[in-house]
Amino acid sequence: MVVKVYGPDFASAKRVLVCLIEKEVEFETVPIDIIKGQNKDPEFLKLQPFGVVPVIQDGDYTLFESRAIMRYYAEKYKSQGTDLLGKTIEERGVVEQWLEVEAQSYHPAIDNLVIEILFGRKRGIPPDAKVIEENEKKLAKVLDIYEERLSKSKYLAGDFFSLADLSHLPFTKYLADMGKMYLIEERKHVKAWWDDISNRPSWKKVFSSRWPLLE
């Protein structure tokens, strides 16, 4: 059964697409036009009651929230494709730890910058300099911790690429779009890590696809 991924245009969905490619799982995509309100259609709300993407359908099984979806496929196809969870329970624990750091500490700051700079620009709303400054400082503090961590291991969870690294791909790309890549580039080990993960064939395939990178 081919996996259906709803909302491939959006950044969170791209986490799922990269994961499926890494796990060698066949999928097809179903566009959702949020501008036209397709995410509020009754049929879509049966799949995702909050009206956001991504959502997957795998036969009779439906799941939403991008990180939950990644965890599901990384576990379901653990012996297939790239091992994204680690080989031991201890490695899995570290993967989960840094995946939570991405969700709770890294992502919120970037998301606030995206809303303030990119979305504000599209709507003709001047950015709030104070909000930008506050979130750049928050992100810089997180990246300082990443720099220390990555000085000791190639990837966040150790010497293997995992969900913890993969989950950073779509929104870190936004830093370039916002002219903020200096936050990555001025940190030697963070830059080496980003250069590595952003050159993975799975990300290149998703990024170069017909789907633009949206929130």
Side-chain angles (χ1 to χ4, degrees), residues 7 10 31-40 44 51-53 215:
F10 296 86
I32 298 294
D33 192 330
I34 289 178
I35 301 300
K36 293 181 179 178
Q38 290 180 347
N39 58 310
K40 301 299 182 182
F44 184 76
V52 297
V53 294
E215 189 184 23

Side-chain angles (χ1 to χ4, degrees), residues 25 71 85 101 103 109 131:
V25 176
R71 287 180 170 106
L85 297 173
V101 170
V131 172

Side-chain angles (χ1 to χ4, degrees), residues 2 4 9 12 14 17 24 27 35 38 44 51 53 67 80 85-86 113-114 116 131 135 156 163-164 167 187 199 205:
V2 176
K4 289 184 179 181
D9 296 340
S12 294
K14 293 185 187 300
L17 299 181
E24 300 172 3
F27 65 88
I35 301 300
Q38 290 180 347
F44 184 76
V53 294
R67 295 175 188 85
Q80 176 177 309
L85 297 173
L113 289 171
V114 168
E116 196 64 36
V131 172
N135 283 282
L156 287 171
L163 290 184
S167 196
R187 293 168 172 83
N199 277 292
K205 182 175 181 178

Side-chain angles (χ1 to χ4, degrees), residues 63-95:
L63 191 64
F64 54 83
E65 292 296 339
S66 61
R67 295 175 188 85
I69 297 168
M70 290 195 307
R71 287 180 170 106
Y72 170 71
Y73 283 108
E75 182 65 43
K76 182 176 181 178
Y77 296 102
K78 187 168 175 56
S79 61
Q80 176 177 309
T82 306
D83 184 352
L84 298 171
L85 297 173
K87 292 181 170 56
T88 66
I89 190 64
E90 289 77 17
E91 288 181 348
R92 172 69 180 267
V94 180
V95 171

Side-chain angles (χ1 to χ4, degrees), residues 96-108 142 146 168:
E96 294 288 354
Q97 169 185 274
W98 286 99
L99 190 54
E100 285 299 311
V101 170
E102 182 274 326
Q104 304 299 329
S105 299
Y106 186 86
H107 177 81
V142 175
Y146 279 32
H168 288 78

